[in-house]
Amino acid sequence: MQFRDLKKQYSVLKDEMDQAILDVVASSAYVMGPKVKEMEQAFADYVGVKHCIACASGTDALLLALKAWDVKAGDAVFVPSFTFFASAEVIAMQGATPVFVDVEQDTFNMDVRDLIYKIEHTIKAGQLKPKAIIAVDLFGLPADFKLIRPVAQRFGMYLLEDGAQGFGGRIGEQKVCSFGDIAATSFFPAKPVGCYGDGGAVFTNNDEWAALMDSYHIHGKGSDRYDNVRIGLNSRLDSIQAAILLVKLKAFKDYELVDVNTVAERYTEKLKGVVKTPEIPRGFYSSWAQYTIQVADKKVRAKLQDALKAADIPTAIYYPIPMHRQTAFSYLDPTMNQCPVADRLADTVLSLPIHPYLSEEDQDKICSVIISNL
Ligand SMILES: *Cc1c(COP(=O)(O)O)cnc(C)c1O
């Protein structure tokens, strides 16, 4: 059994996908070709924002946003501790200081009370300027932007949405990657919409930031191609990946997103009361980058993971070490970065296989192994 069955997906999309790839090969427009423009327009339209700029990875997308806002040494950027390393890494890459915010046990997303507490604490300490909040749509579920947006406003901070796992998610009718002042997403193969390699994009309605990110992602280009006006990156999306993404987006819109939600609902039906199943707040819609259950403790989890493995069922632990415990961040003041819920989740979470092509038969097998081992 596969954790995320990309082979199955390819077998379904094969005819259309092979043609799209061969067309790019034949066109010889491999970098920054018309396919990239077409893909950017399609993704901007889907999300419902004015600008989409494709780049080389989700990590670069986050970095481009921080560059557009000139986030630098002396700035504090608030980010959940329970996330993938890149969400926090980019803050330190800019020379700014990450402040780790705890998450809610039910949704895995940023705890807004702890966010406010840590912003006020940072202001009181007087060393750093609170500059931006990075809200992560973890496991596919949008962060609670109805609560986070007013906090950003109240403290005069930028709001960056890390939608690397959330693409396709919604609150009401509003889609992920439209909630932040800028949003970033990733097209790493295992994300809700992935390409066949690395890729990413930024989204914004702001013309000025879009122009800055457009410049930063191509060596800080100016209007004259050979006069570079700022220090930037080489962070472009390959045309071939853009063509792949156009095929994938169509399948995602047509059925994949609905199908993965059906799989998630079925898990919850079968596992509710056996383990703690993920909770989707009223009005929220997840794209289910992960289906993550919680069990009593580390020992129970290890035993369950072994039993699943013996039955040829792959699982994963997202995330075993929260950001405030990462070796790379050991230079930070621990008293400013306590996150007890993230600590507990690191010991109790287990992510199960989930993707739009997971069969009912495989799902029944997964659930029965879980039920008989708890
Ligand atoms: C995957 C991921 C990223 C980074 O994306 P890459 O394309 O791998 O660079 C950033 N944030 C989160 C939450 C992610 O899951």
Side-chain angles (χ1 to χ4, degrees), residues 106 267-268 271-273 275-279 291-294:
D106 287 349
Y267 263 141
T268 300
L271 295 176
K272 214 172 175 76
V275 294
K276 182 165 168 51
T277 51
E279 285 181 34
Y291 188 92
T292 303
I293 59 170
Q294 296 173 47

Side-chain angles (χ1 to χ4, degrees), residues 127-205:
Q127 303 286 319
L128 300 166
K129 179 181 165 19
K131 184 76 171 255
I133 299 165
I134 302 182
V136 181
D137 304 317
L138 204 74
F139 301 153
L141 179 68
D144 198 341
F145 289 98
K146 286 186 306 261
L147 297 179
I148 297 169
R149 167 61 66 190
V151 176
Q153 234 142 17
R154 180 169 134 209
F155 292 99
M157 298 164 76
Y158 296 120
L159 178 55
L160 173 56
E161 179 182 5
D162 180 348
Q165 299 183 14
F167 196 84
R170 306 193 290 264
I171 305 174
E173 288 309 304
Q174 193 179 343
K175 289 206 180 76
V176 155
C177 286
S178 73
F179 295 106
D181 296 315
I182 298 176
T185 199
S186 164
F187 302 125
F188 182 78
K191 308 284 175 168
V193 177
C195 58
Y196 290 168
D198 278 304
V202 286
F203 297 85
T204 187
N205 283 314

Side-chain angles (χ1 to χ4, degrees), residues 1-317:
M1 201 184 296
Q2 301 284 313
F3 190 69
R4 196 165 187 93
D5 201 341
L6 297 172
K7 251 189 205 160
K8 177 79 210 281
Q9 185 195 43
Y10 173 64
S11 74
V12 173
L13 302 176
K14 186 176 187 317
D15 290 346
E16 212 182 334
M17 191 61 89
D18 289 358
Q19 193 56 54
I21 291 169
L22 287 172
D23 285 350
V24 175
V25 175
S27 79
S28 87
Y30 303 133
V31 173
M32 304 294 291
K35 273 290 155 196
V36 174
K37 284 274 161 269
E38 193 185 327
M39 170 265 156
E40 288 173 336
Q41 191 61 56
F43 277 70
D45 289 348
Y46 177 74
V47 168
V49 299
K50 194 168 171 193
H51 304 281
C52 167
I53 299 159
C55 63
S57 71
T59 306
D60 280 1
L62 292 165
L63 192 60
L64 287 167
L66 298 187
K67 286 190 178 296
W69 293 334
D70 192 26
V71 170
K72 54 180 185 291
D75 293 334
V77 179
F78 298 78
V79 64
S81 182
F82 197 66
T83 183
F84 179 64
F85 189 65
S87 313
E89 181 182 30
V90 292
I91 302 166
M93 279 174 85
Q94 284 296 102
T97 304
V99 179
F100 295 116
V101 179
D102 212 352
V103 295
E104 287 179 354
Q105 194 198 345
D106 287 349
T107 62
F108 306 106
N109 278 334
M110 192 181 254
D111 177 338
V112 180
R113 273 172 314 174
D114 194 49
L115 172 65
I116 295 168
Y117 169 79
K118 282 180 174 148
I119 294 170
E120 286 176 339
H121 195 287
T122 301
I123 293 169
K124 233 179 265 158
Q127 303 286 319
L128 300 166
K129 179 181 165 19
K131 184 76 171 255
I133 299 165
I134 302 182
V136 181
D137 304 317
L138 204 74
F139 301 153
L141 179 68
D144 198 341
F145 289 98
K146 286 186 306 261
L147 297 179
I148 297 169
R149 167 61 66 190
V151 176
Q153 234 142 17
R154 180 169 134 209
F155 292 99
M157 298 164 76
Y158 296 120
L159 178 55
L160 173 56
E161 179 182 5
D162 180 348
Q165 299 183 14
F167 196 84
R170 306 193 290 264
I171 305 174
E173 288 309 304
Q174 193 179 343
K175 289 206 180 76
V176 155
C177 286
S178 73
F179 295 106
D181 296 315
I182 298 176
T185 199
S186 164
F187 302 125
F188 182 78
K191 308 284 175 168
V193 177
C195 58
Y196 290 168
D198 278 304
V202 286
F203 297 85
T204 187
N205 283 314
N206 183 296
D207 297 340
E208 186 193 333
W209 299 332
L212 281 168
M213 293 189 289
D214 185 44
S215 166
Y216 275 119
H217 92 302
I218 308 174
H219 302 292
K221 67 172 179 177
S223 46
D224 179 326
R225 196 170 162 196
Y226 292 101
D227 182 23
N228 296 64
V229 296
R230 54 183 66 83
I231 302 301
L233 311 169
N234 173 7
S235 184
R236 300 171 297 221
L237 184 76
D238 293 335
S239 304
I240 215 163
Q241 303 298 356
I244 289 161
L245 284 167
L246 283 163
V247 176
K248 291 266 201 129
L249 180 64
K250 190 163 161 284
F252 187 72
K253 286 197 288 194
D254 285 353
Y255 59 89
E256 281 187 352
L257 181 58
V258 171
D259 288 357
V260 80
N261 268 275
T262 306
V263 171
E265 273 164 34
R266 219 161 159 268
Y267 263 141
T268 300
E269 242 166 63
K270 291 184 174 284
L271 295 176
K272 214 172 175 76
V274 180
V275 294
K276 182 165 168 51
T277 51
E279 285 181 34
I280 305 302
R282 185 186 292 275
F284 284 58
Y285 188 77
S286 176
S287 59
W288 297 104
Q290 303 296 339
Y291 188 92
T292 303
I293 59 170
Q294 296 173 47
V295 296
D297 57 37
K298 224 170 165 166
K299 240 168 134 178
V300 171
R301 180 176 67 184
K303 194 175 147 263
L304 180 60
Q305 200 172 20
D306 286 348
L308 287 160
K309 193 175 173 193
D312 186 35
I313 298 164
T315 55
I317 297 170

